[in-house]
Amino acid sequence: MLNRVRSAVAHLVSSGGTPPSRPKSPDLPKATSAPPAAAPEAPRSPPARAGAGSGAPARVVEARASFSRPTFLQLSPGGLRRADDHAGRAVQSPPDTGRRLPWSTGYAEVINAGKSRHNEDQACCEVVYVEGRRSIMGVPRDPSRGQGLCFYYWGLFDGHAGGGAAEMASRLLHRHIREQLKDLVEILQDPSPPPLCLPSTPGTPGSSDPSHLVSPQSCWSSQKEVTHESLVVGAIENAFQLMDEQMARERRGHQVEGGCCALVVVYLLGKVYVANAGDSRAIIVRNGEIIPMSREFTPETERQRLQLLGFLKPELLGGEFTHLEFPRRVQPKELGQRMLYRDQNMTGWAYKKIELEDLRFPLVCGEGKKARVMATIGVTRGLGDHNLKVCSSNLPIKPFLSCFPEVRVYDLTQYEHCPDDVLVLGTDGLWDVTSDCEVAATVDRVLSAYEPNDPSRYTALAQALVLGARGTPRDRGWRLPNNKLGSGDDISVFVIPLGGPGSYS
Amino acid sequence: MLNRVRSAVAHLVSSGGTPPSRPKSPDLPKATSAPPAAAPEAPRSPPARAGAGSGAPARVVEARASFSRPTFLQLSPGGLRRADDHAGRAVQSPPDTGRRLPWSTGYAEVINAGKSRHNEDQACCEVVYVEGRRSIMGVPRDPSRGQGLCFYYWGLFDGHAGGGAAEMASRLLHRHIREQLKDLVEILQDPSPPPLCLPSTPGTPGSSDPSHLVSPQSCWSSQKEVTHESLVVGAIENAFQLMDEQMARERRGHQVEGGCCALVVVYLLGKVYVANAGDSRAIIVRNGEIIPMSREFTPETERQRLQLLGFLKPELLGGEFTHLEFPRRVQPKELGQRMLYRDQNMTGWAYKKIELEDLRFPLVCGEGKKARVMATIGVTRGLGDHNLKVCSSNLPIKPFLSCFPEVRVYDLTQYEHCPDDVLVLGTDGLWDVTSDCEVAATVDRVLSAYEPNDPSRYTALAQALVLGARGTPRDRGWRLPNNKLGSGDDISVFVIPLGGPGSYS
C-alpha cells in the first residue's frame, strides 16, 4: 500500500502532474468550531478546512490516504513507518550508503509530537539543468557560450493545515525556477549588461542586432542599470508566484491541502540566492560568525503591510475585523473610554476613544508565536492557502498572504571558505527553541569532532541540530537538557557546506 | 517693509495662527508647461502650482511678498537682505553675542544659488514645557510627580514648490507635539507600565482606581506590553499627521504653499527621538564612529509602497500612469516586444511582453536625485503638498505621499558622551555633496581646533559643514576644493552636542 503511494508520487514527480490529494486529516478537529473570539488558543498553523473546490474522486482519496517523505531519504516501507511515528520521533537522514546529496549536504528531520497526523514539512535537493530557449535574443546562438546552465537547489517547505501544498511545492517549485531561467541562459552567460528589451518571439529571424533592441532615444536622461543578479532574483520571485498560481488552478480539480512556508536556496554562477516566504530561517556560519540570510514573515513583522491592506480595502475585513491594533481585546463596556492603539502608519502607540467599530476583532492580534492574522494563521507569506477561511465565517484570508519571497544574495567568490563554513536552513521547529548562537556553537562542536574531509560530518551536524531542538522524552514531554520543553513541531534541517569537500566548481 | 513682515510673523508664531500666504514665486515658471513625458528635466522639488483653494486676499499677498528666517538668527533688516542674496551666499548663524541656543547647539545655513527665489529651508530650536492635563487617569494628581515635563526640540524643514509649508511647520509642529504629550505627562513620569485603557473624560470623578481600568478578562492570553518610549513615538507620529491636516484645513482659506520635508529631534526624559519624513538626514558621530539616525524617503526607497498603492487603487493613476517600473520609457514601436520590468512585489527584474497600458508613464521613474513620483516630486514623505498636481493634469499626487515620519530612538543615558560627540542634522543640500564619513572628518577637524569647553565650537562646526557643501565661486559655479560642483540647494545644519558643556540635565 505504501509502496503504491510512493510509486504514484514518483510518477507525479517525473511527470510534473497534479499533486496527490488527500482527505481532511481527522486529527484537525478545530475546523469550524472556534469563533474569531476564541483566538488565544488558535494554533499557529490554521486548522484544515475544505474549500469550495474539494471534489477529489474517492478513488484518488483512497490511494493517497498516506504521506510521503523526500525521495532522497530512500525510506523503505519500515523506514517510512518509523518516520511517521509520533511516539518514537526517530531522526531521519539520507543513508550513509548510496549516493550523497550534492556538495555533501547534510539533512535531518523529525516528525512532530502529535500536532498533526503526519510530518507536514517537506524537502527537496536537486541539481537542475536549464536548457536555454533557442536564440532568445533573436540572433543565432553563439556555440562558445555553451548549451545551458546548471543550478543547485535546496528547498524546505513547512506545511500547515494539511500537507498538500508543501508536497506539491517540494516537487515543482524548482521546475518553475528552471522555466523562468530558460529565457536567461544566454543573457546570464554574456558578461555585457542584460538587454532592456527583447524581440517578441524568441528566434524571430530578421531582428538581428541586439544592440538595436534598445532604443537610443529615451525619455529619461539615463537608463536604469539592471544586473545579472537581479534577473535571477526576479526569476525566483516570479517562480514563487507561478507555483502559487498553479496551486490555485489545481485545487479546482484536486484539493491542494493547506499552505506552506518555503525557504529555497539556489546556487548559480558563483552566487547563493536565499529566498524565504514564511517563518523558516537561513543563517550562514562563517568562521564562527553568524550572517543572517533571511527574516521571518509573521503577523508581527508584517503588521503594517497587513493593516495598510485592510485600510485600503476594507471590504476584505468583511465587517468582522478592524485594521487597528489594540494591546488586548476591547470590551463592549469600554465604549467611550480611551485605549492604546496603532494604525498602519504608526510604530508607536497612542490613545484613542473607543468607538463601536473598534469592538470588531483586530486583523492582527497576539504576540510572538501566538500572533495571528484574522485570528487564524501565524505566518503571512508562503504558498497555497487558497481555501483558507476565517473560522466560522466565509471570509478568505489569502488576500492578506503574500506568496513573494525576500531574496538575499551571497557571493561565494568574495570570501575564502573553509570546510567548517556552512549555510544552515531550518523550519521553525528548529528556531523556536534554538538561537542563532546555539546553532553556531553546535556547528563548531560537531564539525570539530570530524575530519574536515569526512563528508558525513554535515549529516551528523544536521542530526545534532534536530536532536537538540527535539530533546528527549522526560516528565511527560520532550525536554531539552535545561529541562525546558523541546519543539513539538516538525523539525527539518539542511546543512550546506560552503567550502567543504563536496566541491561544486 | 521687511520689519513689518517679521512682526507679522512673530505675531503668528506667538498666536499659533494661520501661516503667511504668498503669491506664486515668479522664478518657478515650469508650473504647467511640461507634460509627464518631459520628466527628465523635472526638478526634484516640484514646480509651484496654485491649487483650487488659492484665494488669498490681495492685501495679505502684498504684506507677505517676502520671506522670513528663523528668529534665533536675530537678523537685522540688512542681515535678512544678505541672507536672501543668491550671489553672495553668505553663511548665516546665530550671533556670538546674545543668548545661545539650548545645549550650545550650533546652527548654520545658506541660501540656494538661484534655484528658488528665497531660502525654502526653515529651522526651529525650542525648549518646550508640557503642562499635563488635570487628572488624566481619573485620580487626583499626585503632587510629588511634579507639574509637567520639558522637552528640547530641533526641527529642520526643507520646503519645495514654495516656502509656506516649511514656514508653517517650523512655527507649529512642536506645538502639535506638545499637545500630544499633554495626555502623557503623568504616565511618562510613572515608572509602572502605561495603562492600556483610560476613562473617557480626563478628571471624571468616580472612576477612581487606575488598576481597574484594565479588564482582567482578556480574550488574548496576554496583553501586549507597551513601553513609555513607544508612547512618545506615537505622540510624535500623530503630531506630524495633525500638522499635515492643519495645512490641509488652512489652505482652504489661505494658501499654504508647497510642501516640506521635516526632520525633528525631541529630547525627553533621557532619550533622543529622531523623526524623519523626507530626504534630510541625521547622524550621530560618537568617538569618531557614525551612527545613522534616519533614512531617506524617496521614490527609490519607497518604490514598493508607491507601486502597491497604485496597484490597489488604480483610480489614483488616472489612466495616465502605470504602477509597473521599467528601466526606461517604453516606446510605442516596442509593443509586443519583451522588456524588463518590476512590479510592487519584486526586488529583481524580469521580462514581460509590452502591452498597450505599459506605454503609460511609470508611477516611479528615474534614478538617484532624478527619481520622481508621477514625473513630479522627488521626495515621498513630508508635510503639505495638498495642492500638488501632476503637470498638465488635474491628478493629485498627495495620496502617494506620506506625512508619517520614521522615528528612531537613542538612549543618551546608555553611553558616556564626550564633548566631541554630536548629532548632526542636515537638509539634502548638505548630504548631496557630503558623505557621512566626510562629515565625521569635519567634526574631528573643527572640534579639535577649539577648547572642549568653548561653546562656540558647535556653531563653527555647523558653518564649516555648510561652507564645505556650498564651496566657493569659481569657473562659473560654486565649486568644492576637488573642483566638483558644490550644492546649489539651500543648505541648513544643526550640530547638537551630546556631551558638551551645554549641560542639559
Side-chain angles (χ1 to χ4, degrees), chain A residues 40 183 195-198 200 217 219-220 224 230 237 312-313 325 327-329 331 336-340 345-351 365-367 404, chain B residues 40 183 195-198 200 217 219-220 223-224 230 237 312-313 325 327-329 331 336-340 345-349 351 365-367:
Chain A
D183 278 351
L196 304 186
C197 194
L198 297 173
S200 50
Q217 287 182 312
C219 85
W220 289 303
K224 204 158 267 197
S230 69
E237 289 171 330
L312 293 174
K313 296 261 182 191
E325 186 190 15
R328 63 168 172 78
R329 184 74 189 270
Q331 310 291 320
Q337 298 189 10
R338 285 173 306 146
M339 192 177 244
L340 287 172
N345 293 304
M346 296 167 73
T347 58
W349 292 83
Y351 291 97
C365 73
E367 274 187 297
F404 277 84
Chain B
D183 277 351
L196 304 186
C197 193
L198 297 173
S200 49
Q217 287 181 313
C219 84
W220 288 303
Q223 302 174 348
K224 204 158 268 197
S230 69
E237 289 171 329
L312 292 174
K313 298 260 183 193
E325 185 190 16
R328 62 167 172 78
R329 184 74 191 269
Q331 312 289 319
Q337 298 189 11
R338 286 174 305 147
M339 192 177 245
L340 287 173
N345 293 304
M346 296 168 73
T347 58
W349 293 82
Y351 291 98
C365 72
E367 275 186 297

Coordinates of all heavy atoms in Angstrom, one line a residue, chain A residues 40 183 195-198 200 217 219-220 224 230 237 312-313 325 327-329 331 336-340 345-351 365-367 404, chain B residues 40 183 195-198 200 217 219-220 223-224 230 237 312-313 325 327-329 331 336-340 345-349 351 365-367:
Chain A
P40 N -7.1 33.1 21.3 CA -5.9 32.8 22.1 C -5.3 31.4 21.9 O -4.1 31.2 22.0 CB -6.3 33.1 23.5 CG -7.8 33.4 23.5 CD -8.1 33.7 22.1
D183 N 14.8 31.6 -20.3 CA 15.0 32.7 -21.1 C 16.3 33.5 -20.9 O 16.7 34.3 -21.6 CB 13.8 33.7 -20.9 CG 12.6 33.4 -21.7 OD1 12.7 32.5 -22.5 OD2 11.5 34.0 -21.5
P195 N 20.2 43.0 -22.0 CA 19.4 43.9 -22.8 C 18.1 44.3 -22.1 O 17.5 43.5 -21.5 CB 19.1 43.1 -24.1 CG 19.2 41.7 -23.7 CD 20.2 41.6 -22.5
L196 N 17.7 45.6 -22.3 CA 16.5 46.0 -21.6 C 15.3 45.5 -22.4 O 14.2 45.3 -21.7 CB 16.5 47.5 -21.6 CG 17.7 48.2 -20.9 CD1 17.4 49.7 -20.8 CD2 17.9 47.6 -19.5
C197 N 15.4 45.3 -23.7 CA 14.2 44.9 -24.5 C 14.6 43.8 -25.4 O 15.8 43.8 -25.9 CB 13.7 46.1 -25.3 SG 12.1 45.9 -26.0
L198 N 13.7 42.8 -25.6 CA 14.0 41.6 -26.4 C 12.9 41.6 -27.5 O 11.8 42.1 -27.3 CB 13.9 40.3 -25.6 CG 15.0 40.2 -24.5 CD1 14.6 38.9 -23.7 CD2 16.4 40.1 -25.1
S200 N 9.9 40.1 -29.8 CA 8.7 39.5 -29.3 C 8.8 38.0 -29.3 O 8.5 37.3 -28.3 CB 7.5 39.9 -30.1 OG 7.8 39.7 -31.5
Q217 N 16.9 56.6 -28.2 CA 16.1 57.7 -27.6 C 15.4 57.3 -26.4 O 14.6 56.3 -26.4 CB 15.1 58.1 -28.7 CG 15.7 58.9 -29.8 CD 14.6 59.3 -30.8 OE1 13.7 58.5 -31.1 NE2 14.6 60.6 -31.2
C219 N 13.2 58.7 -22.9 CA 12.7 59.9 -22.2 C 13.4 60.2 -20.9 O 13.3 61.3 -20.4 CB 11.2 59.8 -22.0 SG 10.8 59.0 -20.5
W220 N 14.1 59.2 -20.4 CA 14.9 59.6 -19.2 C 16.3 59.9 -19.7 O 16.8 59.4 -20.7 CB 15.0 58.4 -18.2 CG 13.7 58.2 -17.6 CD1 13.0 59.1 -16.8 CD2 12.8 57.0 -17.6 NE1 11.8 58.5 -16.4 CE2 11.7 57.3 -16.8 CE3 13.0 55.8 -18.2 CZ2 10.7 56.3 -16.6 CZ3 12.0 54.8 -18.0 CH2 10.9 55.1 -17.2
K224 N 18.1 52.8 -16.5 CA 18.4 52.1 -15.3 C 19.3 50.9 -15.6 O 19.1 50.1 -16.5 CB 17.2 51.7 -14.6 CG 17.3 51.5 -13.1 CD 16.0 51.6 -12.4 CE 15.7 53.1 -12.0 NZ 14.6 53.2 -10.9
S230 N 20.1 40.6 -10.5 CA 18.7 41.0 -10.2 C 17.7 40.2 -11.2 O 16.6 40.1 -10.9 CB 18.5 42.5 -10.4 OG 18.7 42.9 -11.7
E237 N 11.5 35.1 -7.8 CA 10.3 35.7 -7.3 C 9.1 35.3 -8.2 O 8.0 34.9 -7.7 CB 10.4 37.3 -7.3 CG 11.4 37.8 -6.3 CD 11.7 39.3 -6.4 OE1 11.7 39.8 -7.5 OE2 11.9 39.9 -5.4
L312 N -6.9 50.1 3.1 CA -7.2 50.5 1.7 C -8.3 49.6 1.1 O -9.0 50.1 0.2 CB -5.9 50.3 0.8 CG -4.8 51.2 1.1 CD1 -3.6 50.9 0.3 CD2 -5.2 52.7 0.9
K313 N -8.5 48.4 1.6 CA -9.5 47.5 1.0 C -10.4 47.0 2.2 O -10.3 45.8 2.5 CB -8.9 46.4 0.3 CG -8.0 46.7 -0.9 CD -8.8 46.5 -2.2 CE -8.0 46.8 -3.4 NZ -8.9 46.9 -4.6
E325 N -4.8 48.0 15.5 CA -4.3 47.1 16.5 C -4.5 47.6 17.9 O -4.3 48.8 18.2 CB -2.7 46.9 16.3 CG -2.2 45.8 17.2 CD -0.6 45.8 17.2 OE1 0.0 46.8 16.7 OE2 -0.1 44.8 17.7
P327 N -3.7 46.6 22.2 CA -2.8 45.7 23.0 C -3.6 44.6 23.6 O -3.0 43.6 24.1 CB -2.3 46.7 24.1 CG -3.2 47.8 24.2 CD -3.9 47.9 22.8
R328 N -4.9 44.6 23.7 CA -5.7 43.5 24.1 C -7.1 43.7 23.5 O -7.4 44.8 22.9 CB -5.8 43.4 25.6 CG -6.5 44.5 26.3 CD -6.8 44.3 27.7 NE -7.2 45.5 28.4 CZ -8.5 46.0 28.3 NH1 -9.4 45.4 27.5 NH2 -8.8 47.1 28.9
R329 N -8.0 42.7 23.6 CA -9.3 42.8 23.0 C -10.1 43.9 23.7 O -10.0 44.0 25.0 CB -10.1 41.5 23.2 CG -11.4 41.5 22.5 CD -11.3 41.4 21.0 NE -12.6 41.6 20.3 CZ -13.4 40.6 20.0 NH1 -13.1 39.4 20.3 NH2 -14.6 40.9 19.4
Q331 N -13.3 45.6 25.2 CA -14.6 45.1 25.8 C -15.7 46.1 25.5 O -15.5 47.3 25.5 CB -14.4 45.0 27.3 CG -13.2 44.3 27.8 CD -13.3 42.8 27.5 OE1 -14.3 42.2 27.6 NE2 -12.1 42.3 27.1
G336 N -16.3 54.4 24.6 CA -16.2 55.8 25.0 C -14.9 56.0 25.9 O -14.5 57.2 26.0
Q337 N -14.3 55.0 26.4 CA -13.1 55.2 27.1 C -12.0 55.3 26.0 O -12.2 55.1 24.8 CB -12.8 54.0 28.0 CG -13.9 53.9 29.1 CD -13.6 52.9 30.2 OE1 -12.5 52.4 30.3 NE2 -14.5 52.6 31.0
R338 N -10.8 55.6 26.5 CA -9.7 55.7 25.6 C -8.7 54.6 25.8 O -8.2 54.3 26.9 CB -9.0 57.1 25.8 CG -9.8 58.2 25.2 CD -9.2 59.6 25.6 NE -9.0 59.7 27.0 CZ -8.1 60.3 27.6 NH1 -7.2 61.0 26.8 NH2 -7.9 60.4 28.9
M339 N -8.3 53.9 24.7 CA -7.4 52.8 24.7 C -6.2 53.0 23.8 O -6.3 53.7 22.8 CB -8.2 51.5 24.3 CG -7.4 50.3 24.6 SD -8.3 48.8 24.3 CE -8.4 48.1 25.9
L340 N -5.1 52.3 24.1 CA -4.0 52.4 23.3 C -4.3 51.7 21.9 O -5.0 50.7 21.9 CB -2.8 51.7 24.0 CG -2.2 52.5 25.1 CD1 -1.1 51.7 25.9 CD2 -1.5 53.8 24.6
N345 N 0.2 53.3 10.0 CA 1.3 54.3 9.8 C 2.2 54.4 11.0 O 3.2 55.0 10.9 CB 0.7 55.7 9.5 CG 0.0 55.7 8.2 OD1 0.6 55.4 7.1 ND2 -1.2 56.1 8.2
M346 N 1.8 53.7 12.1 CA 2.5 54.0 13.4 C 3.4 52.8 13.8 O 3.0 51.7 13.6 CB 1.4 54.2 14.5 CG 0.6 55.5 14.3 SD -0.9 55.5 15.4 CE -0.1 55.8 16.9
T347 N 4.5 53.2 14.4 CA 5.2 52.2 15.1 C 5.1 52.4 16.6 O 5.3 51.5 17.4 CB 6.7 52.2 14.7 OG1 7.2 53.5 15.0 CG2 6.9 51.9 13.3
G348 N 4.7 53.6 17.0 CA 4.4 53.9 18.4 C 3.0 53.7 18.7 O 2.2 53.3 17.8
W349 N 2.6 53.9 20.0 CA 1.2 53.7 20.4 C 0.6 55.1 20.9 O 1.4 55.9 21.3 CB 1.2 52.7 21.6 CG 1.5 51.3 21.3 CD1 2.8 50.8 21.2 CD2 0.7 50.3 21.0 NE1 2.7 49.5 20.9 CE2 1.4 49.1 20.7 CE3 -0.7 50.1 20.9 CZ2 0.9 47.9 20.4 CZ3 -1.3 48.9 20.6 CH2 -0.5 47.8 20.3
A350 N -0.7 55.2 20.8 CA -1.3 56.4 21.3 C -2.7 56.0 21.8 O -3.2 54.8 21.5 CB -1.4 57.4 20.2
Y351 N -3.4 56.9 22.5 CA -4.7 56.6 23.0 C -5.8 57.1 22.0 O -5.6 58.1 21.4 CB -4.9 57.3 24.3 CG -4.1 56.7 25.5 CD1 -2.9 57.3 25.8 CD2 -4.6 55.6 26.1 CE1 -2.2 56.7 26.9 CE2 -3.8 55.0 27.2 CZ -2.6 55.6 27.5 OH -1.9 55.0 28.5
C365 N -3.5 40.2 15.8 CA -3.5 40.2 17.3 C -2.5 39.2 17.8 O -2.0 38.3 17.1 CB -4.9 39.8 17.7 SG -5.3 38.1 17.5
G366 N -2.2 39.3 19.1 CA -1.4 38.3 19.7 C 0.1 38.7 19.5 O 0.5 39.6 18.8
E367 N 0.9 38.0 20.3 CA 2.4 38.3 20.3 C 3.2 37.0 20.0 O 2.8 35.9 20.4 CB 2.8 38.8 21.6 CG 2.6 40.3 21.8 CD 3.2 40.8 23.1 OE1 2.7 40.4 24.1 OE2 4.1 41.6 23.0
F404 N 5.2 36.1 -2.3 CA 6.5 36.5 -2.7 C 7.6 36.4 -1.6 O 7.4 36.8 -0.5 CB 6.5 38.0 -3.2 CG 6.0 38.1 -4.6 CD1 4.6 38.1 -4.8 CD2 6.9 38.2 -5.6 CE1 4.1 38.2 -6.1 CE2 6.4 38.3 -6.9 CZ 5.0 38.3 -7.2
Chain B
P40 N 12.5 64.0 -17.6 CA 13.9 64.0 -17.2 C 14.5 65.3 -16.6 O 15.3 65.3 -15.8 CB 14.6 63.7 -18.6 CG 13.6 63.7 -19.6 CD 12.3 63.6 -18.9
D183 N -1.4 64.6 27.4 CA -2.1 63.5 28.0 C -1.2 62.5 28.7 O -1.6 61.6 29.4 CB -2.9 62.7 26.9 CG -4.3 63.4 26.7 OD1 -4.6 64.3 27.4 OD2 -4.9 62.9 25.7
P195 N -1.1 52.5 31.4 CA -2.4 51.9 31.4 C -2.8 51.7 30.0 O -2.6 52.5 29.1 CB -3.3 52.8 32.2 CG -2.6 54.2 32.1 CD -1.1 53.9 32.0
L196 N -3.4 50.5 29.7 CA -3.9 50.3 28.3 C -5.2 51.1 28.0 O -5.4 51.4 26.9 CB -4.2 48.8 28.2 CG -3.0 47.8 28.5 CD1 -3.3 46.4 28.1 CD2 -1.7 48.3 27.8
C197 N -5.9 51.3 29.1 CA -7.2 52.0 28.9 C -7.4 53.1 29.9 O -7.0 53.0 31.1 CB -8.4 51.0 29.0 SG -9.9 51.6 28.4
L198 N -7.9 54.2 29.5 CA -8.2 55.4 30.3 C -9.6 55.7 30.3 O -10.3 55.5 29.3 CB -7.4 56.6 29.8 CG -5.9 56.5 29.8 CD1 -5.3 57.7 29.1 CD2 -5.3 56.4 31.2
S200 N -13.1 57.9 29.9 CA -13.4 58.7 28.8 C -13.0 60.2 29.0 O -12.4 60.8 28.1 CB -14.9 58.6 28.4 OG -15.6 58.8 29.6
Q217 N -10.2 40.3 32.4 CA -10.6 39.3 31.4 C -10.2 39.8 30.0 O -10.5 40.8 29.6 CB -12.1 39.1 31.4 CG -12.7 38.4 32.6 CD -14.2 38.2 32.4 OE1 -14.9 39.2 32.1 NE2 -14.7 37.0 32.6
C219 N -9.4 38.5 25.9 CA -9.5 37.3 25.0 C -8.2 36.8 24.6 O -8.1 35.8 24.0 CB -10.4 37.7 23.8 SG -9.5 38.5 22.6
W220 N -7.2 37.6 24.7 CA -5.8 37.1 24.5 C -5.3 36.5 25.7 O -5.6 37.0 26.8 CB -4.9 38.2 23.9 CG -5.3 38.6 22.5 CD1 -5.4 37.8 21.5 CD2 -5.6 39.9 22.1 NE1 -5.7 38.5 20.4 CE2 -5.9 39.8 20.7 CE3 -5.7 41.1 22.7 CZ2 -6.3 40.9 20.0 CZ3 -6.1 42.2 22.0 CH2 -6.4 42.1 20.6
Q223 N -1.6 40.4 27.5 CA -1.7 41.7 27.0 C -0.4 42.1 26.4 O 0.6 41.7 26.9 CB -2.2 42.7 28.0 CG -3.5 42.3 28.7 CD -3.8 43.2 29.9 OE1 -3.0 44.0 30.3 NE2 -5.0 43.1 30.3
K224 N -0.5 42.9 25.4 CA 0.8 43.4 24.8 C 1.4 44.5 25.7 O 0.7 45.3 26.2 CB 0.5 44.0 23.4 CG 1.6 44.0 22.5 CD 1.2 44.1 21.0 CE 1.0 42.7 20.4 NZ 1.0 42.7 18.9
S230 N 7.4 54.0 23.4 CA 6.6 53.8 22.3 C 5.4 54.8 22.3 O 4.8 55.2 21.3 CB 6.1 52.4 22.1 OG 5.2 52.1 23.1
E237 N 4.5 60.8 16.0 CA 3.8 60.3 14.7 C 2.5 61.1 14.5 O 2.2 61.6 13.4 CB 3.6 58.8 14.7 CG 4.9 58.0 14.6 CD 4.8 56.5 14.8 OE1 3.9 56.1 15.5 OE2 5.6 55.8 14.2
L312 N -3.3 48.7 -5.9 CA -4.6 48.5 -5.1 C -5.6 49.6 -5.4 O -6.8 49.3 -5.3 CB -4.3 48.5 -3.6 CG -3.4 47.4 -3.1 CD1 -3.1 47.6 -1.6 CD2 -4.2 46.0 -3.3
K313 N -5.2 50.8 -5.8 CA -6.1 51.9 -6.0 C -5.8 52.5 -7.4 O -5.2 53.6 -7.5 CB -5.9 53.0 -5.0 CG -6.3 52.5 -3.6 CD -7.7 53.0 -3.2 CE -8.1 52.7 -1.8 NZ -9.5 52.8 -1.6
E325 N 7.3 49.4 -13.0 CA 8.5 50.1 -13.3 C 9.2 49.5 -14.5 O 9.3 48.3 -14.6 CB 9.4 50.0 -12.0 CG 10.7 50.9 -12.2 CD 11.7 50.6 -11.1 OE1 11.6 49.6 -10.4 OE2 12.6 51.5 -10.9
P327 N 13.0 50.0 -16.9 CA 14.3 50.7 -16.8 C 14.4 51.9 -17.6 O 15.4 52.7 -17.5 CB 15.3 49.6 -17.2 CG 14.5 48.6 -18.0 CD 13.1 48.7 -17.5
R328 N 13.5 52.1 -18.6 CA 13.5 53.3 -19.4 C 12.1 53.4 -19.9 O 11.3 52.5 -19.9 CB 14.5 53.3 -20.5 CG 14.3 52.3 -21.5 CD 15.2 52.5 -22.8 NE 15.1 51.3 -23.7 CZ 14.1 51.1 -24.5 NH1 13.0 51.8 -24.5 NH2 14.1 50.0 -25.2
R329 N 11.7 54.6 -20.5 CA 10.4 54.7 -21.1 C 10.2 53.8 -22.2 O 11.1 53.5 -23.1 CB 10.3 56.2 -21.6 CG 8.9 56.5 -22.1 CD 7.9 56.7 -21.0 NE 6.5 56.8 -21.4 CZ 5.9 57.9 -21.7 NH1 6.6 59.1 -21.6 NH2 4.6 57.9 -22.0
Q331 N 8.7 52.6 -25.7 CA 8.3 53.3 -26.9 C 7.1 52.6 -27.6 O 7.1 51.3 -27.5 CB 9.5 53.2 -27.9 CG 10.8 53.7 -27.3 CD 10.9 55.1 -27.0 OE1 10.4 55.9 -27.8 NE2 11.4 55.5 -25.9
G336 N 4.5 44.6 -28.0 CA 4.7 43.2 -28.4 C 6.1 42.6 -28.1 O 6.3 41.4 -28.0
Q337 N 7.1 43.5 -28.0 CA 8.4 43.0 -27.6 C 8.4 42.8 -26.1 O 7.4 43.1 -25.4 CB 9.4 44.1 -28.0 CG 9.5 44.3 -29.5 CD 10.7 45.2 -29.9 OE1 11.6 45.4 -29.1 NE2 10.7 45.6 -31.2
R338 N 9.5 42.3 -25.6 CA 9.6 42.0 -24.2 C 10.6 42.9 -23.5 O 11.7 43.0 -23.9 CB 9.9 40.5 -23.9 CG 8.7 39.6 -24.2 CD 9.1 38.1 -24.2 NE 10.3 37.9 -25.1 CZ 11.2 37.0 -24.8 NH1 11.1 36.3 -23.7 NH2 12.2 36.8 -25.6
M339 N 10.2 43.5 -22.4 CA 11.0 44.5 -21.7 C 11.2 44.1 -20.3 O 10.3 43.5 -19.7 CB 10.5 45.9 -21.9 CG 11.5 47.0 -21.5 SD 10.9 48.6 -21.7 CE 12.0 49.2 -22.9
L340 N 12.3 44.5 -19.7 CA 12.5 44.3 -18.3 C 11.5 45.2 -17.5 O 11.2 46.3 -17.9 CB 13.9 44.7 -17.9 CG 15.0 43.7 -18.3 CD1 16.3 44.2 -18.0 CD2 14.8 42.4 -17.6
N345 N 5.7 43.7 -6.0 CA 6.2 42.6 -5.2 C 7.7 42.2 -5.4 O 8.2 41.4 -4.7 CB 5.4 41.3 -5.5 CG 3.9 41.5 -5.0 OD1 3.7 41.8 -3.9 ND2 3.0 41.4 -6.0
M346 N 8.3 42.8 -6.4 CA 9.6 42.3 -6.9 C 10.7 43.3 -6.4 O 10.6 44.5 -6.5 CB 9.6 42.2 -8.4 CG 8.6 41.2 -9.0 SD 8.4 41.4 -10.7 CE 10.0 40.7 -11.3
T347 N 11.8 42.7 -6.1 CA 13.1 43.5 -6.0 C 14.0 43.2 -7.2 O 14.8 44.0 -7.5 CB 13.8 43.2 -4.7 OG1 14.1 41.8 -4.6 CG2 13.0 43.6 -3.5
G348 N 13.8 42.0 -7.8 CA 14.5 41.7 -9.0 C 13.8 42.1 -10.2 O 12.7 42.7 -10.1
W349 N 14.4 41.9 -11.4 CA 13.8 42.3 -12.7 C 13.4 41.1 -13.5 O 14.1 40.0 -13.4 CB 14.7 43.2 -13.5 CG 15.0 44.5 -12.9 CD1 15.9 44.8 -11.9 CD2 14.4 45.8 -13.2 NE1 15.9 46.1 -11.6 CE2 15.0 46.7 -12.4 CE3 13.4 46.1 -14.1 CZ2 14.6 48.1 -12.5 CZ3 13.1 47.5 -14.2 CH2 13.7 48.4 -13.4
Y351 N 11.5 39.9 -17.6 CA 10.9 40.4 -18.9 C 9.4 40.2 -19.0 O 8.9 39.2 -18.5 CB 11.6 39.6 -20.1 CG 13.1 40.0 -20.2 CD1 14.1 39.1 -19.7 CD2 13.5 41.1 -20.9 CE1 15.4 39.5 -19.9 CE2 14.8 41.4 -21.1 CZ 15.8 40.6 -20.6 OH 17.1 40.9 -20.7
C365 N 9.8 56.8 -11.7 CA 10.8 56.7 -12.7 C 12.1 57.5 -12.3 O 12.1 58.2 -11.4 CB 10.3 57.3 -14.0 SG 10.1 59.0 -14.0
G366 N 13.1 57.2 -13.0 CA 14.4 57.9 -12.8 C 15.2 57.3 -11.7 O 14.7 56.4 -11.0
E367 N 16.4 57.8 -11.6 CA 17.3 57.2 -10.6 C 18.0 58.3 -9.7 O 18.1 59.5 -10.2 CB 18.5 56.5 -11.3 CG 18.2 55.1 -11.6 CD 19.4 54.4 -12.2 OE1 19.9 54.8 -13.3 OE2 19.9 53.4 -11.6

